[in-house]
Amino acid sequence: GVLPPVSKLSSGQVMYQFLSGYTAKVAGTERGVTEPEATFSACFGAAFLTIHPTRYADLLAEKLEKHGSDAYLVNTGWSGGGVGVGERMSIGATRACISAILDGSIKDVEFEKDPVFGFDVPLSLPGVPDDVVQPRNAWADKDAYDAQRDKLAEMFQKNFEQFSGPGVTDYTSFGPQLQK
């Protein structure tokens, strides 16, 4: 897993992530899956959408702005390396992330911008091991982390091509940016 357990998103990043609908099929929770497998489903429910996904994103953006809401991306998936090396995010770490969001204490921690995905990642968070909060630090092989992160970023970019074009709000600039 290359995504942090929790990230603070800008409004545009919320729309990008919502439209992407990224998740991973994980061994033990999906039949026939032996290693994590990335999958995308617009608005986390593409099969049930009756209008273009970007319209749902626009509606969500209106609600976020109207209510002044903060938004966080919580990763309950994989941490610390690829298959055979990493492991599922612990329930304790996930609970600590959710608790920090709900009680507002996450607003008191220092963040840094992820260099590829662009969202704000805590430098530390009570109840979450520091190497898990900063996922690159959990990987013994930093080059392998960088390669996997870039691979996932490319998958996001390819998937998102379907959400840009005439007549829709283009949220492409809020997605991952790879150095050329």
Side-chain angles (χ1 to χ4, degrees):
V2 296
L3 296 177
V6 64
S7 308
K8 185 174 187 331
L9 304 180
S10 70
S11 179
Q13 290 167 334
V14 170
M15 299 322 113
Y16 187 93
Q17 294 298 322
F18 180 62
L19 285 167
S20 295
Y22 170 72
T23 190
K25 296 178 183 178
V26 181
T29 60
E30 299 278 344
R31 206 181 267 184
V33 175
T34 57
E35 61 184 68
E37 179 184 316
T39 186
F40 296 88
S41 178
C43 307
F44 300 96
F48 306 102
L49 303 181
T50 58
I51 57 177
H52 195 276
T54 56
R55 184 63 191 120
Y56 291 102
D58 292 342
L59 291 169
L60 177 58
E62 290 171 18
K63 296 289 185 189
L64 283 173
E65 185 173 331
K66 177 181 178 181
H67 298 287
S69 301
D70 289 329
Y72 298 88
L73 180 65
V74 177
N75 172 19
T76 61
W78 207 253
S79 176
V83 177
V85 179
E87 56 190 27
R88 287 295 305 242
M89 193 73 64
S90 77
I91 295 291
T94 299
R95 285 183 180 149
C97 293
I98 298 297
S99 293
I101 293 167
L102 293 176
D103 69 19
S105 63
I106 196 166
K107 294 179 181 181
D108 299 328
V109 302
E110 189 176 344
F111 289 85
E112 74 177 2
K113 191 163 295 302
D114 182 274
V116 171
F117 286 89
F119 34 63
D120 293 329
V121 180
L123 292 175
S124 66
L125 192 66
V128 183
D130 287 345
D131 64 338
V132 174
V133 173
Q134 295 286 317
R136 189 172 192 269
N137 296 339
W139 286 56
D141 184 341
K142 305 301 188 223
D143 290 335
Y145 169 86
D146 293 343
Q148 189 64 32
R149 179 203 56 212
D150 291 354
K151 178 181 173 185
L152 180 60
E154 289 172 356
M155 292 170 70
F156 265 94
Q157 290 172 335
K158 181 167 179 40
N159 173 70
F160 209 80
E161 290 171 1
Q162 66 185 307
F163 302 118
S164 61
V168 298
T169 304
D170 188 358
Y171 294 103
T172 306
S173 65
F174 297 101
Q177 307 295 316
L178 293 167
Q179 301 298 324
K180 302 285 180 191

